[in-house]
Amino acid sequence: MSDSDLNSPTATLDTSPADIEREAQHHRRRMTLNMGPQHPSTHGVLRVLLELDGETVIRAYPDIGFLHTGIEKQCETRTWHQVVPLTDRVDYLANMSNNLVYALAVEKLLNVQDEMPQAVQMMRVLLAELQRINSHCVWLGTHALDIGAMTVFFYCFREREDVLRIFEMFSGQRMMTSYIRPGGLALEPPRGWDKAVRKFIDAFPEKVDEYEDLLDKNPIWLRRTKGVGFVPLQDLIDWGVTGPMIRGAGVPWDIRKDEPYSGYEKYDFRVPTLTENDVWSRYRVRMEEMRQSAKIVKQALDGMPDGPWQLDIPRVTLPDREKMKTQMEALIHHFKIVTEGMKVPAGEAYQAIESPRGEIAYYVVSNGSSHPHRVFMRTPSFGNLQVLPPMVEGKLIADTIASMGSMDFVLGDVDR
Amino acid sequence: MISDQVREIPVVSALVAQLPDAITAGTLRLKELTLEVDPTRIVEVCRFLKEDQKLNRLSAITGVDLYPVEPRFEVIYFLHSMERRGERLRLNCRLHGDNPEIDSVTPVWPGANWYERETFDLFGVRFRNHPNLTRIMMPDDWEGHPLRKDFPIHGHRYSYKDE
């Protein structure tokens, strides 16, 4: 029956059972639904084209690129130090991780990574782990909100605010910190930073218990998460999924353990894994990661030596202010770095670290000049989001929301 | 040219024994192993590395434009082993600027899909046998490929088709 048949008066006035059946068939046609780009549960501008049969998703097609700002192209026009603020804007919930991986990649090319002062390395670890706590708090709050548990959101953002205040103390910025730079840290840590961090980190493990009290025995939460969003492990590996998603499927793969950077091998922490491979296991893995991060922060805080907070290599970092006023060479180096930019030896380096979302890696290519020839960002959200169709196809549409939340993607990280 | 030091690495020696002509050069710099691969053999090489050498995860694919040097494009594959933790390998294919085309590795790793689309979108490298080679970052009717070195940074005009 075509549309015109349905609209004709005979079809509505004189209806036989066969007509009703035919009409039902007509309405059970597959429906195409546009989820996003402004849907609240996509957390940004992601458009997913869903083909539905009733409430079942037949086909899902993620359409990305709405937030593409050409960051990789912009990097090529900046000096090596000017790229740092761009890295903040890639994954705006994990700025410190992005700063850190860029700094490590450039230091690898400069071949100065072994000379990095102990204090810088420990402070980098401390900040990266605070960032993980921050990012997981945002994830848990918004994920729970998507599924219908509203209170968790307020609890999580309370702690996130504390972390942001600490970041503001360090760098003057709450989110776009640009604090970790090639050659060390941007500034000396502010007076009283250790007290602020200690106050937060002593109280934090109890806060994780609070979140769990709200969720772990909540029957709605359990039914919305258990057994939802399952993808076979082999598929996850073939699709290149990283981070808490692969650890929630039973693979204890964490770059902090396997390819330690910034001295992670010296810290005592555990890589949580679960084998259920569903939304629930990803939730449990991240909760445990928050506790482990708190443990790492505490160790870094207890063992933190006094500065220096930068490398003392004139071709890489700006000279000390005092030296600049008294020594001619220091003034020349300052002038060269500010006007020309630092020169990085030709070559290419690939550096991967464990961001809150998975493997974040920068591939930097230098042709020996003061600008990068190419900066490629292998971002975890881009790799993880690819697995959305196999995860949601054939399942209910409501589970799509829960599955998407469990992936914890940031659209800035996907589109760059 | 593959130096003796690189040739002794187990993955490289196995690869050279299995597919002698596929590898044209190999370097080990900054503790990172890079192999230059004949672009026509990339799928064979990837399949062998994945199935025989346990380099079972494709981390990413990207391109580098070396304009005005020819062959100007590098397509780079970042491989990683989930079983031998922390082992990584980089494959590098050089493509000529006239008609940059290479076989898709999506039959080996489905996860290559978006990375190849991104490389196509931003560099204009075509991947043969790709299931859906369309633009992924830029609008569908965009002209040019932004990450090419001869693509302007300023002054590009674009009118959105829906306006």
Side-chain angles (χ1 to χ4, degrees):
Chain A
M1 186 186 284
S2 71
D3 282 352
S4 58
D5 287 340
L6 271 179
N7 293 333
S8 72
T10 50
T12 45
L13 291 176
D14 181 25
T15 30
S16 64
D19 283 340
I20 293 171
E21 177 62 26
R22 231 178 330 200
E23 198 169 342
Q25 284 295 328
H26 175 80
H27 285 295
R28 276 198 57 204
R29 249 186 352 197
R30 288 183 182 174
M31 179 170 75
T32 308
L33 185 73
N34 245 319
M35 192 160 136
Q38 305 297 345
H39 191 279
S41 80
T42 57
H43 302 292
V45 275
L46 167 70
R47 172 170 170 243
V48 188
L49 262 170
L50 295 171
E51 202 179 314
L52 301 174
D53 181 1
E55 277 202 66
T56 312
V57 178
I58 303 297
R59 227 168 60 86
Y61 182 82
D63 180 12
I64 64 167
F66 291 91
L67 223 55
H68 181 64
T69 44
I71 285 182
E72 289 174 13
K73 180 81 172 173
Q74 291 184 55
C75 288
E76 293 169 12
T77 67
R78 305 287 202 276
T79 66
W80 288 94
H81 278 297
Q82 284 170 343
V83 170
V84 176
L86 291 174
T87 65
D88 286 325
R89 283 146 181 87
V90 175
D91 180 351
Y92 41 79
L93 291 181
N95 330 301
M96 290 291 186
S97 313
N98 277 277
N99 293 167
L100 176 60
V101 65
Y102 175 70
L104 288 173
V106 176
E107 281 157 12
K108 201 180 212 180
L109 271 182
L110 287 163
N111 208 6
V112 295
Q113 69 272 53
D114 299 331
E115 298 158 49
M116 197 51 70
Q118 189 63 21
V120 174
Q121 296 212 10
M122 293 183 89
M123 188 58 88
R124 285 175 169 184
V125 168
L126 185 144
L127 291 168
E129 293 306 317
L130 280 178
Q131 185 74 71
R132 192 180 315 276
I133 290 174
N134 172 352
S135 173
H136 281 1
C137 278
V138 176
W139 161 78
L140 180 63
T142 51
H143 181 41
L145 192 64
D146 288 347
I147 300 187
M150 195 168 212
T151 322
V152 190
F153 178 80
F154 297 107
Y155 279 58
C156 291
F157 270 58
R158 181 186 64 191
E159 271 69 67
R160 184 202 182 214
E161 197 59 33
D162 290 342
V163 180
L164 290 184
R165 273 199 208 105
I166 292 172
F167 284 173
E168 190 179 8
M169 199 174 172
F170 272 95
S171 66
Q173 292 277 342
R174 287 155 56 83
M175 287 177 76
M176 303 302 155
T177 50
S178 299
Y179 189 66
I180 299 171
R181 298 191 183 174
L185 303 177
L187 301 159
E188 195 173 302
R191 204 175 298 158
W193 70 269
D194 49 340
K195 284 200 196 75
V197 174
R198 194 174 296 280
K199 188 171 162 227
F200 170 73
I201 216 67
D202 283 344
F204 185 70
E206 281 173 33
K207 304 285 169 64
V208 182
D209 296 343
E210 267 180 32
Y211 309 153
E212 286 181 347
D213 285 347
L214 287 168
L215 294 173
D216 269 5
K217 288 182 185 146
N218 180 337
I220 303 172
W221 176 260
L222 295 179
R223 290 190 64 176
R224 288 299 305 272
T225 57
K226 283 210 166 175
V228 173
F230 173 83
V231 181
L233 174 62
Q234 191 53 47
D235 287 5
L236 285 182
I237 295 173
D238 284 349
W239 283 94
V241 170
T242 55
M245 282 182 72
I246 201 111
R247 290 195 284 276
V251 181
W253 175 51
D254 189 316
I255 300 174
R256 292 176 294 174
K257 286 274 188 208
D258 290 347
E259 298 155 83
Y261 51 90
S262 291
Y264 264 109
E265 66 276 12
K266 294 177 204 142
Y267 298 89
D268 170 33
F269 68 102
R270 193 166 72 72
V271 178
T273 51
L274 279 174
T275 49
E276 279 91 341
N277 194 0
D278 55 5
V279 177
W280 165 259
S281 69
R282 287 163 211 150
Y283 152 72
R284 287 302 320 161
V285 164
R286 289 195 180 98
M287 295 306 268
E288 197 49 41
E289 274 184 23
M290 285 203 258
R291 289 210 177 82
Q292 296 298 324
S293 290
K295 212 168 138 189
I296 299 173
V297 171
K298 204 167 243 176
Q299 292 169 46
L301 188 60
D302 289 338
M304 185 74 65
D306 287 336
W309 303 104
Q310 269 192 344
L311 279 173
D312 189 19
I313 299 178
R315 68 191 158 88
V316 179
T317 49
L318 291 177
D320 184 50
R321 207 77 193 158
E322 191 55 40
K323 274 189 199 161
M324 218 178 83
K325 287 173 180 162
T326 50
Q327 296 174 9
M328 189 180 71
E329 292 81 2
L331 188 65
I332 294 171
H333 286 310
H334 182 272
F335 184 74
K336 286 284 246 187
I337 287 185
V338 171
T339 55
E340 260 185 11
M342 116 180 121
K343 292 227 164 64
V344 172
E348 56 276 311
Y350 183 84
Q351 176 69 44
I353 72 165
E354 188 74 25
S355 100
R357 269 160 274 286
E359 180 198 15
I360 180 162
Y362 279 31
Y363 176 66
V364 288
V365 182
S366 170
N367 52 10
S369 74
S370 54
H371 299 260
H373 182 77
R374 169 105 172 92
V375 180
F376 167 64
M377 298 155 178
R378 189 265 175 227
T379 51
S381 304
F382 186 80
N384 290 358
L385 185 58
Q386 276 198 89
V387 84
L388 182 71
M391 189 178 280
V392 303
E393 281 170 5
K395 320 267 171 65
L396 293 178
I397 186 169
D399 290 346
T400 308
I401 310 287
S403 304
M404 276 188 349
S406 78
M407 296 168 114
D408 185 23
F409 49 78
V410 164
L411 265 298
D413 203 27
V414 175
D415 294 342
R416 306 188 293 284
Chain B
M1 257 302 101
I2 309 175
S3 69
D4 290 343
Q5 188 202 0
V6 173
R7 205 179 281 272
E8 279 164 21
I9 299 169
V11 173
V12 183
S13 53
L15 193 57
V16 171
Q18 182 74 18
L19 304 162
D21 318 323
I23 310 297
T24 50
T27 51
L28 185 65
R29 242 180 281 147
L30 303 169
K31 297 182 190 155
E32 292 174 7
L33 179 60
T34 311
L35 297 179
E36 206 151 298
V37 179
D38 178 358
T40 55
R41 316 277 303 265
I42 184 69
V43 179
E44 283 174 73
V45 170
C46 284
R47 185 162 278 135
F48 175 73
L49 288 172
K50 183 192 177 191
E51 284 162 12
D52 264 54
Q53 293 299 311
K54 298 188 172 145
L55 281 154
N56 56 348
R57 200 178 71 89
L58 177 75
S59 197
I61 300 174
T62 190
V64 174
D65 185 4
L66 298 172
Y67 181 80
V69 180
E70 284 289 357
R72 78 182 255 198
F73 292 112
E74 279 182 338
V75 179
I76 300 172
Y77 299 76
F78 302 96
L79 271 52
H80 171 245
S81 174
M82 298 281 274
E83 298 187 23
R84 290 192 302 273
R85 295 297 166 75
E87 187 178 317
R88 285 176 191 274
L89 171 65
R90 203 154 65 214
L91 303 178
N92 186 341
C93 293
R94 294 292 291 270
L95 298 177
H96 212 270
D98 296 340
N99 183 25
E101 252 196 352
I102 190 165
D103 284 327
S104 164
V105 296
T106 42
V108 187
W109 287 287
N113 190 321
W114 280 15
Y115 289 104
E116 291 186 340
R117 277 178 69 190
E118 191 193 4
T119 311
F120 161 69
D121 188 357
L122 303 180
F123 287 96
V125 174
R126 301 194 65 83
F127 291 86
R128 281 184 294 256
N129 306 324
H130 188 284
N132 177 26
L133 195 67
T134 50
R135 289 194 180 268
I136 187 165
M137 295 296 181
M138 310 305 283
D140 284 341
D141 54 347
W142 186 269
E143 280 172 29
H145 302 283
L147 276 181
R148 288 188 174 189
K149 286 284 175 187
D150 49 4
F151 189 91
I153 293 155
H154 297 288
H156 191 83
R157 289 186 200 288
Y158 179 73
S159 64
Y160 289 87
K161 63 178 172 186
D162 299 334
E163 273 176 2

